[in-house]
Amino acid sequence: MASRRIAQSSVNWASLAERVPSAQKTNLTAFKSTSDKYLRSVLANPETPPKIDWAFYQKNVPIAGMVDKFQKAYEALQIPYPSDTLTSQIEAQEKQVRDEIAIFVKESESRIAEHQTQMAQIKSLLPFNQMTMEDYRDAFPDQALDTVNRPTYWPHTPEDQKVDVPDKPHH
C-alpha cells in the first residue's frame, strides 16, 4: 500500500475550538502546537529519499562486490506502511452515535411539543392573582379543595390529613 504525502493538517481547528470547553482551551492550544510541529517536521523532508549514486560508490569503494551487495539489500528493503485497522471501527461507532443522537432529537422534539402544549394551556388560564376558588377548581379539578368528595382538615396539606385513630381497648 503506497503512502500519500501529507500536505496540510486535515483537522478543522476552528470547528474543534468551538466545541472545547473554556477550561480546556490551553490543552487544545498545546495539542495544536504539537500537531503543527509534527506537520512542519514532515514537510521539512523531501517526499522521496534522495537517489543513491551507486556508480560513484562502485568506482570509489575498493572492496569488490560490497557496493553490489549493499545495492541489492537496499533495493530489496520494503518498509510497509501501517494498515488501517481502526477506521471501520470508528465509522461504526460514529454511525451508532449518530443513530443515538437522532433518537434523542426525536424524543426531545416530542417532549418539547408536549411542554409547549402544557405552556399554552397554562397561558390560556386566568392569572393566579385574578382567580377565584371556583376558577381554580375548574382549571385544576384534581388539586382543588373538594369538601364533599375529599374533605380535608386545615391547613389542607397532605401531611396534616393523616388522622391518628387510637387503638380500641380490648375487653
Side-chain angles (χ1 to χ4, degrees), residues 87-101:
T87 298
S88 61
Q89 293 174 6
I90 292 171
E91 287 172 350
Q93 187 178 18
E94 180 182 14
K95 183 184 179 312
Q96 176 188 355
V97 169
R98 287 187 189 278
D99 292 345
E100 290 172 4
I101 290 171

Side-chain angles (χ1 to χ4, degrees), residues 1-120:
M1 178 178 183
S3 65
R4 61 181 175 85
R5 178 70 172 184
I6 299 172
Q8 66 182 18
S9 175
S10 61
V11 177
N12 184 347
W13 293 105
S15 173
L16 187 61
E18 291 172 359
R19 292 176 174 84
V20 173
S22 58
Q24 298 292 325
K25 294 284 186 188
T26 55
N27 292 343
L28 177 66
T29 305
F31 178 65
K32 183 182 182 319
S33 172
T34 303
S35 175
D36 290 346
K37 184 179 94 177
Y38 288 139
L39 182 62
R40 281 192 302 276
S41 66
V42 166
L43 295 177
N45 295 313
E47 187 172 347
T48 57
K51 300 291 182 204
I52 297 175
D53 184 5
W54 296 107
F56 171 80
Y57 290 108
Q58 291 270 347
K59 285 191 287 182
N60 293 315
V61 174
I63 302 170
M66 184 178 189
V67 174
D68 292 333
K69 181 180 167 188
F70 280 149
Q71 183 178 5
K72 232 182 247 177
Y74 180 78
E75 290 172 353
L77 179 66
Q78 292 292 323
I79 300 173
Y81 191 77
S83 60
D84 182 6
T85 58
L86 299 176
T87 298
S88 61
Q89 293 174 6
I90 292 171
E91 287 172 350
Q93 187 178 18
E94 180 182 14
K95 183 184 179 312
Q96 176 188 355
V97 169
R98 287 187 189 278
D99 292 345
E100 290 172 4
I101 290 171
I103 290 168
F104 178 77
V105 166
K106 191 177 278 188
E107 290 172 353
S108 294
E109 287 171 351
S110 68
R111 283 192 305 270
I112 288 170
E114 182 181 321
H115 294 312
Q116 286 176 336
T117 304
Q118 291 173 356
M119 285 174 39

